[in-house]
Amino acid sequence: MAGKRTFTMIKPDAVGAGNTGAIIKMIEEAGFRIIAMKKTHLSKERAGQFYEVHKERPFYNDLTSYMSSGAIIPMILEKDNAVEDFRKLIGATNPKEAAEGTIRALFAESIEANAIHGSDSDENAQIEGSFFFSATEQF
Ligand code: ATP
Ligand code: MG
């Protein structure tokens, strides 16, 4: 059975550009319920932990600098088929390849500063949600 929760984070470029409200509106209009949400900031070290799977990639150092460069808005979201449907709503990693009307097509600046994160599996949604929120913060 498809999982019902995913994890997302509005990234520093989109928060800095004042697109938080527009992005949350799109998320809610697409049928996702917000289970947990906050505005916070990652140190470079914690950004490195979050993106640990990309440690060996050439863009890892830039990515962790960028992700710690400003405020972020992590959220846990709920919907049937949440992980897959949310990846469709945000579009491809590179905004040049993102489908029209997706969050990244509308708001991303570049392949790195691409406005928003979306978990790629039920297992990672669980791990990433727990990275930011305790069980008592999830309603
Ligand atoms: P995310 O995990 O943030 O939802 P994604 O799953 O679409 O994005 P990943 O392959 O997991 O893409 O890459 C994680 C993040 O690393 C991307 O969102 C982007 O910010 C950055 N990134 C990925 N590929 C590149 C690249 N070639 N150059 C620079 N940054 C990149
Ligand atoms: Mg990813």
Side-chain angles (χ1 to χ4, degrees), residues 54 87 117-118 120:
H54 296 306
R87 298 280 295 189
H117 164 80
D120 58 13

Side-chain angles (χ1 to χ4, degrees), residues 65-85:
S65 294
Y66 158 65
M67 285 303 302
S68 56
S69 68
I72 54 156
I73 303 194
M75 287 178 260
I76 295 172
L77 303 173
E78 188 174 84
K79 182 185 182 296
D80 286 345
N81 205 32
V83 167
E84 194 186 334
D85 285 1

Side-chain angles (χ1 to χ4, degrees), residues 11 51 54 59 63 87 93 104 111-112 114 117-118:
K11 297 186 179 183
Y51 280 115
H54 296 306
F59 56 80
L63 175 62
R87 298 280 295 189
T93 310
R104 283 170 168 164
I111 191 168
E112 178 181 82
N114 61 359
H117 164 80

Side-chain angles (χ1 to χ4, degrees), residues 8 10 22-34 75 77 86 89 103 116:
T8 185
I10 305 177
I23 290 172
I24 291 173
K25 187 166 194 282
M26 283 182 70
I27 291 170
E28 289 192 313
E29 284 178 353
F32 292 87
R33 193 165 76 83
I34 299 168
M75 287 178 260
L77 303 173
F86 195 73
L89 179 66
I103 292 174
I116 194 159

Side-chain angles (χ1 to χ4, degrees), residues 97-113:
E97 291 159 15
E100 198 179 329
T102 59
I103 292 174
R104 283 170 168 164
L106 289 165
F107 300 111
E109 291 173 6
S110 67
I111 191 168
E112 178 181 82

